[in-house]
Amino acid sequence: MQTPTGKRIESIDILRGIVMVIMALDHVRDFFHISAQTGDPLDIEHYNVPLYFTRWVTHFCAPIFVFLSGTSIYLQSFRKTKKELGIFVIKRGLWLILAEWTLIAFAWTFNPYFETLPFQVIWAIGLSMVITGLLLILNTPYKLILALGILIVLGHNALDFIEDDPGFKAGLLWNLVHSGFFKPYPIWDNHYAIIIYPFLPWTGLMFLGYCFGKLYMPTNSSEFRIKWLRVSGLALLIFFVVVRFTNLYGDPFDWTSFPTFTQTFLSFIKVHKYPPSLLYLCVTIGIGLIALSFLEHTKNKFTAIMKTFGRTAFFYYILHLYFIHIFAVIYYFATGHCLKDVWKIGDNFPFLFVVPGQGENLAIVYLIWIGLIICLFPICKWYDRYKTEHKEKWWLGYI
């Protein structure tokens, strides 16, 4: 991301790279952990602390990525008119939706018949970009975009009260907007749309990320920005603790007291991701803002590696899914399975070459994850160099 002076904001690239790497851990767990398809890693009753935090830490990935996507849009406004930027953002959003239903759907399932049409994070980002682009074309004032973002993020959990009504029945539109985690909708014979990421709260978060970009105006000193990031991040965390303690609002599921302190603490920080609750966004974005403040002037070998992943985020995203699933195919055959058994694993189980209840322990999952990152780094580094040397190629702006 670049400021109006053309200088790239490395702290944003680094943070985005960090969350992309953490995200890969959760996806490796999905394909290789023995209980990934049969149990809940956030189960409080039968908790496993390392497994719990392996899943919990990946909660940061989607919100920080969506938030920084909004920031990226704002920073591009320094180089484009609002109309030019709006058109570009809409086209990029439509491309992301198309990629979700083709390249990414196949990466997740390896199903050549595309029987599952996913509405996951990339679709939510894509649609949010389309909506943001429309607001830019309409020359919507900055303050109105900020107000809409605050209203959506603060207010969308009010819809939980409607859902709690015993007579309430969610339809397709409701599930697309707010609910419907893994809700299947038949399209035609044996083909289903699976709603995983309702878009409304993610759109609100992108609006706030867009407005956050103003903090990187050249009129704001680094010292001012660091102080603002730490104060606002800490304020979000305090807000999270206070509101979460009340159990009145901000998350559809209350925390409860358990026989042990560990279980009670795990219950307290277990916040809802699908859709992202207000408290989920407060704790993840709060920590993300504080992390940005410390990354502002941090430069070392680790941050250089993370910056590479952050600068090639979408390319990395597609690539890591294919690598993980190819590893899973190798594991599938190495553990004695045959090609003819692929379609017999289970009714409507979308991930081919994955057997529910079969897998490895958490230590092996971490080793596979580390190996994946090692494999991906030189490819992403090459692609980053290629993008830098071929800025005249318009299609690179979409990957």
Side-chain angles (χ1 to χ4, degrees), residues 242-357:
V242 172
V243 178
R244 182 62 168 159
F245 184 80
T246 67
N247 266 342
L248 295 176
Y249 184 75
D251 198 90
F253 299 102
D254 294 345
W255 68 277
T256 57
S257 296
F258 281 86
T260 68
F261 171 80
T262 299
Q263 287 176 298
T264 301
F265 176 72
L266 296 181
S267 175
F268 189 85
I269 65 172
K270 182 181 178 180
V271 282
H272 202 245
K273 182 180 179 180
Y274 308 99
S277 69
L278 168 63
L279 296 180
Y280 168 90
L281 295 177
C282 284
V283 70
T284 54
I285 299 301
I287 292 175
L289 294 179
I290 294 172
L292 269 179
S293 74
F294 286 101
L295 291 171
E296 179 111 2
H297 298 303
T298 302
K299 291 185 179 181
N300 52 45
K301 192 171 183 178
F302 171 78
T303 59
I305 293 171
M306 293 302 108
K307 182 175 66 175
T308 297
F309 288 128
R311 286 167 57 95
T312 58
F314 187 55
F315 176 78
Y316 164 93
Y317 182 84
I318 295 174
L319 206 61
H320 97 285
L321 289 176
Y322 278 94
F323 267 63
I324 292 172
H325 211 150
I326 289 170
F327 292 167
V329 172
I330 296 171
Y331 180 82
Y332 176 86
F333 289 114
T335 50
H337 295 284
C338 301
L339 185 62
K340 62 183 177 62
D341 296 328
V342 170
W343 302 95
K344 301 178 181 178
I345 293 175
D347 293 336
N348 298 321
F349 187 69
F351 310 117
L352 300 188
F353 302 98
V354 177
V355 181

Side-chain angles (χ1 to χ4, degrees), residues 117-170:
L117 190 68
F119 285 65
Q120 294 201 93
V121 64
I122 300 300
W123 114 274
I125 294 173
L127 185 58
S128 297
M129 282 186 168
V130 171
I131 296 170
T132 303
L134 289 173
L135 292 182
L136 293 174
I137 290 175
L138 294 172
N139 200 29
T140 306
Y142 172 91
K143 290 183 178 179
L144 180 55
I145 295 176
L146 177 61
L148 287 171
I150 293 173
L151 177 64
I152 293 171
V153 171
L154 278 179
H156 81 94
N157 277 121
L159 300 177
D160 297 338
F161 299 116
I162 299 175
E163 292 179 353
D164 288 340
D165 190 317
F168 176 78
K169 291 184 179 180

Side-chain angles (χ1 to χ4, degrees), residues 44 71 91 101 106 198 272 390:
I44 308 297
T71 303
K91 289 192 294 184
W101 294 339
F106 184 73
H272 202 245
H390 296 83

Side-chain angles (χ1 to χ4, degrees), residues 5-20:
T5 61
K7 184 179 179 182
R8 194 153 184 104
I9 304 171
E10 294 188 349
S11 59
I12 291 179
D13 287 331
I14 294 166
L15 181 60
R16 184 162 48 195
I18 290 171
V19 299
M20 296 300 286

Side-chain angles (χ1 to χ4, degrees), residues 29 33 65 79 113 122 131 169-170 196 198-199 223 226 247 275 283 286 309 324 336 356 361 363:
R29 182 191 62 82
H33 191 255
F65 189 84
R79 305 187 301 275
Y113 301 106
I122 300 300
I131 296 170
K169 291 184 179 180
I196 303 173
F199 75 89
E223 292 73 19
I226 290 172
N247 266 342
V283 70
F309 288 128
I324 292 172
N361 61 38

Side-chain angles (χ1 to χ4, degrees), residues 62-63 65-71 73-74 85-98 100-101 119-137 145 148-149 152-153 176-177 197-210 276 281:
F65 189 84
V66 173
F67 185 79
L68 294 181
S69 294
T71 303
I73 293 171
Y74 183 87
L85 179 58
I87 292 172
F88 170 76
V89 171
I90 289 173
K91 289 192 294 184
R92 181 167 172 79
L94 293 174
W95 153 241
L96 289 179
I97 295 172
L98 176 63
E100 177 81 279
W101 294 339
F119 285 65
Q120 294 201 93
V121 64
I122 300 300
W123 114 274
I125 294 173
L127 185 58
S128 297
M129 282 186 168
V130 171
I131 296 170
T132 303
L134 289 173
L135 292 182
L136 293 174
I137 290 175
I145 295 176
L148 287 171
I152 293 171
V153 171
L176 285 172
V177 169
Y197 275 72
F199 75 89
L200 181 63
W202 298 108
T203 301
L205 183 63
M206 184 172 286
F207 289 171
L208 293 182
Y210 172 85
L281 295 177

